[in-house]
Amino acid sequence: MMRKGDFGEKIGQSRDRNCFISNNVGIIVVFLALFLAISVLSPAFLTQANIMTVLRQIATNMFLSIGMTFVIILGGIDLSGGAIIAMVGVVTVGLSVNGAVPIPAAILIGMCVGVLVGFINGYIISRLRVPAFIVTLAMMNVCRGGAYIYTGGKSIRVLDDRFVKIGTGYLFGYIPLPVIYTIVAVAVAVILLNRTKFGTYVYAIGGNREAAKLSGVPIKKVETMVFMISGFLTAFAGIVLAARMYSAQPSVGDGYEMDAVAACVLGGISMSGGKGQIGGTVLGVLVIGIISNGLNLLGVNSYWQLVVKGIIVLLAIYIDSLKNHREQKE
């Protein structure tokens, strides 16, 4: 039987050999092609105001996608992201506005709600061995319904400018704060996945669950922690989005988890688990963001935008399946 140390070393060596550029040539080419095409078709695309708008807008999807990256590499999926965004947003703003709870305390409670949902997801999935798709789909309905019940189906207006600045403020009067948040989140995620034992365990479980179990990897603990990380990032996204929108709405976040899945798969995160890098996810988020912004600038109907995004997801999954089939043959 392979020793625990040997197994971890093997996973680490395999991961280190992955070259970011060679593994993401396709998405890099697509990113550059889209960037150039939209720049030509819409002169407004390359303006400073629009670039900052794009970077601010992709922050929500970036948080979701980073959490989704952990989950997919683990071999699972999290469909509750959009609903958690709505629930955390209404709880945080509702406590601050209606409950007269101080903003820091309201934010802390909102974050705890997101982490708790992630813990419940991870606990049921890891302990009861229920498929992640079923558990998170059920939790999506619970959170969405909870958001509507809490607000009575109405939006809650943000009244405190200090809260609004969390999503609309600037660093040095130039860089949007959501951009700073995403940079920090990406950096921490890269360190967790590539420089810690926890990251090695995540790749190991996604790559071969049985081998990881035989090697002494604490599978249940890691799975629960991964979903808690996803819940934490999603909760933060909900707070930032509520601040950006000047209100918390129970309907917000519908379909956001699909954008996150699309970004991950476009970025080379294998749906079969065990493969992928945060850098690829970042590229995937940028591509999704540029597509959405470009279609808006070109005046494309929002309904057609949904069709385009759906086609992108299907193509990404198809390419991923072809890649996995080729690797199995080799």
Side-chain angles (χ1 to χ4, degrees):
M1 182 177 64
M2 187 182 297
R3 292 177 302 169
K4 182 177 179 180
D6 295 339
F7 183 77
E9 183 179 355
K10 181 178 179 181
I11 294 294
Q13 290 173 349
S14 175
R15 189 172 56 194
D16 290 339
R17 282 197 298 266
N18 290 334
C19 177
F20 174 75
I21 295 179
S22 62
N23 288 341
N24 295 280
V25 170
I27 187 65
I28 291 174
V29 171
V30 169
F31 171 75
L32 294 175
L34 281 172
F35 192 89
L36 292 174
I38 297 176
S39 299
V40 172
L41 294 173
S42 176
F45 177 71
L46 285 180
T47 61
Q48 176 183 329
N50 187 64
I51 294 297
M52 289 298 139
T53 297
V54 172
L55 292 177
R56 186 186 294 109
Q57 289 176 342
I58 66 173
T60 302
N61 192 24
M62 188 70 79
F63 291 123
L64 261 71
S65 298
I66 292 173
M68 191 72 76
T69 298
F70 279 84
V71 173
I72 294 179
I73 290 176
L74 186 72
I77 194 167
D78 188 352
L79 300 179
S80 61
I84 293 176
I85 282 180
M87 186 175 69
V88 170
V90 299
V91 167
T92 303
V93 176
L95 288 174
S96 176
V97 174
N98 301 326
V101 176
I103 290 177
I107 291 175
L108 179 60
I109 293 172
M111 296 297 297
C112 289
V113 168
V115 174
L116 177 61
V117 172
F119 172 78
I120 295 173
N121 283 338
Y123 186 88
I124 296 174
I125 291 166
S126 62
R127 265 67 176 184
L128 304 182
R129 301 299 300 139
V130 181
F133 177 87
I134 296 175
V135 175
T136 58
L137 181 63
M139 188 58 73
M140 175 181 71
N141 290 324
V142 171
C143 292
R144 183 68 66 184
Y148 277 104
I149 291 171
Y150 184 82
T151 62
K154 301 177 181 178
S155 62
I156 306 175
R157 181 73 177 177
V158 176
L159 303 176
D160 197 313
D161 289 339
R162 293 173 300 172
F163 184 83
V164 170
K165 287 182 179 179
I166 294 175
T168 62
Y170 289 83
L171 180 66
F172 306 128
Y174 178 72
I175 306 174
L177 288 180
V179 176
I180 303 301
Y181 306 149
T182 57
I183 292 173
V184 173
V186 168
V188 173
V190 169
I191 293 172
L192 274 178
L193 274 179
N194 297 291
R195 294 292 181 266
T196 67
K197 185 180 291 186
F198 172 77
T200 298
Y201 287 166
V202 173
Y203 279 100
I205 295 171
N208 192 322
R209 184 184 179 89
E210 289 305 315
K213 182 178 180 180
L214 293 173
S215 301
V217 175
I219 294 178
K220 294 180 181 179
K221 181 178 179 180
V222 172
E223 283 184 327
T224 303
M225 288 180 65
V226 164
F227 280 93
M228 288 175 68
I229 290 172
S230 179
F232 175 85
L233 290 169
T234 305
F236 189 72
I239 291 170
V240 174
L241 184 61
R244 273 186 51 215
M245 296 173 62
Y246 294 84
S247 66
Q249 304 175 18
S251 61
V252 77
D254 187 27
Y256 280 21
E257 58 278 345
M258 289 298 101
D259 282 351
V261 171
C264 290
V265 179
L266 281 172
I269 311 299
S270 176
M271 292 298 292
S272 60
K275 299 176 184 176
Q277 297 174 317
I278 291 294
T281 297
V282 172
L283 286 174
V285 172
L286 287 172
V287 167
I288 296 294
I290 288 176
I291 290 174
S292 297
N293 181 257
L295 293 176
N296 284 330
L297 291 176
L298 296 175
V300 177
N301 187 289
S302 60
Y303 301 138
W304 279 105
Q305 293 186 32
L306 292 174
V307 174
V308 171
K309 288 181 180 179
I311 292 174
I312 290 172
V313 174
L314 289 175
L315 287 175
I317 293 175
Y318 176 68
I319 293 171
D320 179 61
S321 64
L322 288 179
K323 185 190 300 182
N324 290 333
H325 183 67
R326 190 185 310 115
E327 289 177 354
Q328 289 175 358
K329 280 187 174 182
E330 295 175 355

